[in-house]
C-alpha cells in the first residue's frame, strides 16, 4: 500500500499534527474564543503570535477544517510569507484566490499567512492594503513569532491571540503518545530530559525524538539520556559543572584547556556554556557581590557574542570574569 508507506515516512511533526481543535494542547482560551467566532459565523481577521512549536499553524488549520470540512481546498489558501519571493507574488496568489467564484459553498474564504514577521515593513503595508481590498469575502489569519515585528497598522486590523510556550505536562502527554504509537523504548530520565530541553516547543520535542529513534542501531534499542543531549546539541549539566569547577579552582592554563577540550569533544557553543553556567550558579555558595559580578560579566559576554565577538576572546573573557568575581571571596 503506497499510501501507508507515504504516511510512515512523514516527519512526526506532520504525522502527529492535531487533526482537530480538541487535539490542540494548552491554548484553551484562544480555542474557545475562535470556536465561538466560527459558530457565530463572524470571524475577524486574526493574528496568532507566540514562540515556535506552540501550535499556531495547527490551530488555524484545525479551525479551518472545522469550518470548511470537505471544502477546505477550495476555501483556504496557505501561504508562507518567508518562502515566497516578495509581496507581489503573495498579492497575485491572494488575488487569484479571493476573486474566483465560490461554487461549492458560501461564506468567507480564508487566507493563512505564515511567518508574516519575516516580511519587510513595506511588504506588510502592502499586505494591509490587500486585506482591506478583499475583506468583503475573505478573512486573513496572520501567524508570527513576534508581535513587535508586525507593523501596528496591520496589527490593528486583526484580533490578536498570544500563544504561550506549552506546559511541560502537555509536551509530556504528547510525547508519551508518540512513544507508544511508534513502539519506542526510552529510559524514563531520557524522556524527562527531552521534555525539559524542548522548553515548551512541541515541534522540537517531536523532532528530537524522531532523530533519536533514527539514530538507534536497532529499532528495539533503548533511547538514553546521552542520546537526547546529543540530538538537541545541548551541553550536559555534568560537563558544565566540570568546566565551571575548573575555572573556579585551577589556574588559567588548566581552566582554559579543560574548557577547550570539553567544548571540542561535545561541540559546545560558548553561548550554551554561558547559559549552562547561569543555570547551575544558583547551586554554588557565593557572596552576593561575587554572584552579581559574575552574572553581570557573563551577561556582557553573552551580549558580545550576539554582536559577533570573537570566540577565542570571548571564551577567555569568561574565565577572566569568573576569576575576577571570585577575588571577592578571598
Ligand atoms: N498546542 C499543540 N498541541 C499539540 N501539538 C502541537 C501543539 N503545538 C505544536 N504541536 C506539534 O508541533 C508541530 C508544529 O506545530 P505548529 O502548529 O506548526 O507550531 P507553530 O506554528 O506555533 O510553530 C505540530 O505538527 C504538532 O505536531
Ligand atoms: Mg507555524
Amino acid at each position: 500500500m503506497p499510501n501507508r508507506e507515504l504516511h510512515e515516512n512523514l516527519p512526526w511533526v506532520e504525522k502527529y499534527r492535531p487533526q482537530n481543535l480538541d487535539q490542540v494542547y494548552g491554548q484553551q482560551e484562544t480555542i474557545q474564543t475562535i470556536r465561538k467566532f466560527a459558530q457565530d459565523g463572524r470571524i475577524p481577521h486574526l493574528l496568532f503570535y507566540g514562540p515556535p512549536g506552540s501550535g499556531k499553524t495547527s490551530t488555524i488549520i484545525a479551525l479551518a477544517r472545522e469550518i470548511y470540512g470537505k471544502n477546505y481546498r477550495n476555501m483556504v489558501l496557505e501561504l508562507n510569507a518567508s518562502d515566497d519571493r516578495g509581496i507581489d507574488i503573495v498579492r497575485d496568489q491572494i488575488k487569484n484566490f479571493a476573486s474566483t467564484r465560490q461554487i461549492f459553498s458560501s461564506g468567507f474564504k480564508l487566507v493563512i499567512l505564515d511567518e508574516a514577521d519575516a516580511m519587510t515593513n513595506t511588504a506588510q503595508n502592502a499586505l494591509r492594503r490587500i486585506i482591506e481590498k478583499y475583506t468583503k469575502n475573505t478573512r486573513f489569519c496572520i501567524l508570527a513569532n513576534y508581535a513587535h515585528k508586525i507593523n501596528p497598522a496591520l496589527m490593528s486590523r486583526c484580533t490578536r491571540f498570544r500563544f504561550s510556550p506549552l506546559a511541560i505536562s502537555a509536551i509530556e502527554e504528547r510525547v508519551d503518545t508518540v512513544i507508544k504509537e511508534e513502539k519506542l523504548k526510552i529510559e524514563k530520565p531520557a524522556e524527562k530530559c527531552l521534555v525539559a530541553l524542548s522548553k515548551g516547543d512541541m515541534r522540537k520535542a517531536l523532532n528530537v525524538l524522531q532523530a533519536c529513534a533514527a539514530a538507534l542501531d536497532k529499532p528495539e534499542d533503548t533511547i538514553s539520556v546521552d542520546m537526547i543531549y546529543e540530538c538537541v546539541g545541548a551541553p550536559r549539566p555534568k560537563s558544565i559543572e566540570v568546566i565551571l569547577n575548573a575555572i573556579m579552582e585551577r589556574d588559567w592554563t588548566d581552566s582554559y584547556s579543560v574548557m577547550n577540550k570539553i567544548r571540542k569533544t561535545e561541540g559546545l557553543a560558548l553561548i550554551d556554556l554561558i547559559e549552562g553556567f547561569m543555570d547551575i550558579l544558583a547551586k554554588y555558595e557565593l557572596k552576593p557581590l561575587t554572584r552579581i559580578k559574575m552574572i553581570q560579566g557573563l551577561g556582557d559576554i553573552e551580549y558580545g557574542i550576539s554582536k559577533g565577538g570573537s570566540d577565542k576572546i570571548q571564551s577567555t573573557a569568561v574565565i577572566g570574569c569568573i576569576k575576577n568575581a571570585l577575588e571577592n571571596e578571598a
Side-chain angles (χ1 to χ4, degrees), residues 53-323:
S54 53
K56 301 180 295 294
T57 308
S58 304
T59 300
I60 190 60
I61 290 179
L63 179 75
R65 284 225 180 89
E66 283 194 7
I67 299 176
Y68 302 113
K70 285 203 188 82
N71 276 328
Y72 186 96
R73 285 167 57 95
N74 296 312
M75 299 297 283
V76 182
L77 176 67
E78 294 175 44
L79 294 175
N80 193 312
S82 68
D83 269 3
D84 287 308
R85 266 125 295 231
I87 188 68
D88 290 336
I89 298 193
V90 170
R91 184 190 287 119
D92 285 349
Q93 281 174 313
I94 294 176
K95 188 173 159 219
N96 281 336
F97 171 73
S99 52
T100 27
R101 218 152 43 90
Q102 298 155 13
I103 308 166
F104 300 106
S105 81
S106 55
F108 294 116
K109 293 184 174 189
L110 176 70
V111 175
I112 303 171
L113 200 62
D114 214 334
E115 301 189 34
D117 47 356
M119 298 175 102
T120 62
N121 199 32
T122 319
Q124 290 190 25
N125 271 321
L127 176 64
R128 177 181 54 93
R129 288 192 293 273
I130 297 171
I131 292 182
E132 274 161 8
K133 186 159 174 202
Y134 294 106
T135 286
K136 228 166 71 182
N137 72 338
T138 309
R139 286 294 171 267
F140 287 78
C141 179
I142 297 173
L143 308 182
N145 288 334
Y146 302 102
H148 71 260
K149 289 194 184 163
I150 300 291
N151 166 332
L154 181 54
M155 189 130 81
S156 74
R157 279 160 181 78
C158 304
T159 306
R160 272 166 272 172
F161 293 93
R162 199 184 105 80
F163 280 61
S164 337
L166 290 171
I168 296 262
S169 56
I171 303 226
E172 204 163 25
E173 204 177 319
R174 194 72 174 157
V175 164
D176 265 340
T177 312
V178 175
I179 289 172
K180 283 201 193 84
E181 290 279 321
E182 299 293 331
K183 302 190 174 57
L184 293 176
K185 290 205 191 101
I186 179 166
E187 294 167 358
K188 198 69 203 168
E191 188 186 342
K192 283 247 169 309
C193 175
L194 166 69
V195 171
L197 286 174
S198 61
K199 300 204 169 125
D201 179 343
M202 187 83 89
R203 179 186 291 109
K204 187 167 177 189
L206 297 184
N207 279 338
V208 169
L209 188 63
Q210 187 169 22
C212 287
L216 291 172
D217 286 332
K218 294 181 273 53
E220 64 272 21
D221 285 353
T222 303
I223 297 173
S224 65
V225 172
D226 270 359
M227 291 180 72
I228 300 282
Y229 276 113
E230 215 144 283
C231 283
V232 179
R236 294 166 179 74
K238 186 78 205 144
S239 315
I240 301 278
E241 209 175 307
V242 171
I243 298 174
L244 186 57
N245 289 345
I247 298 175
M248 286 180 162
E249 288 155 17
R250 294 158 74 170
D251 66 18
W252 269 90
T253 325
D254 278 2
S255 307
Y256 196 74
S257 80
V258 169
M259 176 160 134
N260 255 1
K261 197 164 148 224
I262 297 184
R263 278 191 60 197
K264 273 223 183 83
T265 46
E266 296 190 14
L268 289 188
L270 189 58
I271 202 103
D272 293 334
L273 192 64
I274 292 176
E275 260 181 38
F277 285 165
M278 289 292 196
D279 287 342
I280 63 169
L281 265 178
K283 286 196 299 190
Y284 286 71
E285 237 175 77
L286 299 165
K287 288 185 183 157
L289 190 61
T290 313
R291 196 183 296 281
I292 290 167
K293 273 183 142 181
M294 232 177 246
I295 290 170
Q296 265 175 351
L298 291 174
D300 288 346
I301 297 169
E302 190 246 15
Y303 184 72
I305 298 169
S306 77
K307 287 280 163 197
S310 118
D311 187 89
K312 187 154 187 212
I313 294 173
Q314 299 296 332
S315 48
T316 319
V318 166
I319 300 176
C321 134
I322 293 171
K323 285 198 173 300

Side-chain angles (χ1 to χ4, degrees), residues 18-54:
Q19 293 302 305
N20 54 55
L21 285 175
D22 293 326
Q23 288 175 8
V24 176
Y25 287 78
Q27 320 294 353
Q28 267 81 17
E29 279 174 32
T30 301
I31 285 168
Q32 258 177 25
T33 313
I34 55 174
R35 237 194 196 136
K36 183 97 181 33
F37 286 151
Q39 281 159 2
D40 298 349
R42 293 186 356 177
I43 300 191
H45 300 304
L46 300 166
L47 169 66
F48 292 174
Y49 66 98
S54 53

